[in-house]
Amino acid sequence: MGIVYAAPAVAPEPRAAAEGRFMSWTGVNGDVFVLSADDSNPAMQRGVQGLHMPDIQVFESSTPLIHGSELDGYTILPRRVFWPLMFQADTAAQWRAEHAAFFDSFHPTVPGTWTVGEGDDARTLGLVGTFDGGHTFDLDPFYTGWANIGVELRATRPLWAGKEIRREYEAELEPDFIPTDPEDPTYHPTSVLGYTSARIGNPGNEAAYVAWEIDGPHPPGLIVGVESFVITIPFEIPEGSTFTLDTDPTSGYAALDGVDMSTQLGFQIFAPVPAGGDVRLVISTEGTGRVLAKLTPLYWRAY
C-alpha cells in the first residue's frame, strides 16, 4: 500500500469584499440582540451550528425478492443549534445587566426568533433554549469583564422561513376593449389582477400552505383553494369585515373579525403548494372584496 504525503490545507484569507452574515436574536419578550457586529454583546464566535442542512431521517424498506432497499420517504427532525457567544463589558454593572437581559429573553417552551440575513434575503428560525444547568465559569466575569458561554438551542420546527409572498386579487374590472367611437379610439386595458388569474409560487425547499385574508363584501358560498382542493365559506363576509384562514395544519385557524369560525367550516382537507411549484388559486364568489393570498417559503438552510 502506497502512502501519499501532502501539506495540510490552509484556510484562505477572507476576500477583500467579503461581508459577515447579519444575525440577530428576538427574544420572547420582544428584546432584540444583534449577534454579528464587532461590538455586539453578546457576539457570535466561531463554531455556530444550525445554519446548514437539517437532520433528515430517510425511511426505507426491503424485501428478500429484491437486492438493496426502496426509499419510501423522509422526515426532518428537530434542529439542534449551538451558539458560541462572547459576553464582554467595561464594568461589572454593565456585564451583569446585559448578560441578564439576554438570558431573560428565553423561555423553555415559547420560541424566540433567530434571524440570519437582512431585507428580502433574511430567513428566520424559531428557537427555545435547552439549558441543563451545567455551565461553569472558569473565571469570575465580574472581575474579568468577559466570559465565553456556549448556548444550546432547539428548533422543533426545523425549517428556515423566508420572506412572506403576498398576492392580492380583486374582482375583475370590465374586460379589455377597443371603443368603436371614432372620436375616442383609445384601447382601455384592465389593470387589476382578477380572481380568475390568481396564482402563487413557492421557491422553498419544502411544500408550504396558503393563508387567506379576505375583505368583504362576499355573500355565503365564497370558494377558495389550491388547484382542486377547495373550501366553501358558508357564511357572509360583510363589507368592512375581514375573514382570515390559515390552511397550515400546524397553526391553522379561521376567524371573522377575530371571532373563531372553525366549527362553521367543519372538517377540511387543505393542499400545500409544492416546493418549487407555481399553482392556480381558486377564488369563486359573487362578492367584490379584496382577496389576499400569503405563503411563507420554507428552506433547509439559512442561506
Side-chain angles (χ1 to χ4, degrees), residues 14 20 29 50-51 53 69 123 130-131 155 171 173 177 187 204 206 235 255 271 280 287 290:
N29 56 4
L51 297 169
M53 295 293 290
S69 63
R123 295 181 185 177
T130 55
F131 305 107
L173 300 177
F177 69 96
Y187 174 62
E206 294 288 334
F235 46 82
R280 177 179 65 93
R290 178 200 68 139

Side-chain angles (χ1 to χ4, degrees), residues 68-222:
S69 63
E70 293 292 327
L71 301 179
D72 300 322
Y74 69 93
T75 188
I76 298 177
L77 301 177
R79 184 186 294 264
R80 178 181 178 270
V81 172
F82 178 72
W83 290 347
L85 298 174
M86 164 70 83
F87 291 80
Q88 52 189 337
D90 295 329
T91 66
Q94 179 191 1
W95 194 94
R96 177 179 181 177
E98 294 181 352
H99 172 270
F102 181 75
F103 282 102
D104 285 348
S105 70
F106 290 89
H107 189 276
T109 60
V110 181
T113 303
W114 185 16
T115 301
V116 176
E118 297 180 274
D120 293 348
D121 193 37
R123 295 181 185 177
T124 60
L125 185 69
L127 297 173
V128 295
T130 55
F131 305 107
D132 60 8
H135 180 74
T136 60
F137 289 98
D138 294 330
L139 298 171
D140 183 353
F142 287 85
Y143 177 76
T144 62
W146 64 269
N148 288 315
I149 302 177
V151 179
E152 296 272 359
L153 305 111
R154 186 169 182 262
T156 56
R157 303 296 180 194
L159 296 171
W160 286 86
K163 181 184 178 182
E164 181 181 73
I165 296 169
R166 302 167 67 91
R167 296 289 183 266
E168 184 174 322
Y169 306 97
E170 297 180 11
E172 279 82 356
L173 300 177
E174 293 297 323
D176 299 352
F177 69 96
I178 300 177
T180 57
D181 183 357
E183 299 296 327
D184 182 17
T186 308
Y187 174 62
H188 296 275
T190 58
S191 59
V192 176
L193 283 175
Y195 296 150
T196 57
S197 63
R199 302 188 67 85
I200 198 166
N202 175 16
N205 298 122
E206 294 288 334
Y209 288 83
V210 174
W212 300 89
E213 186 176 298
I214 304 169
D215 295 337
H218 290 280
L222 163 67

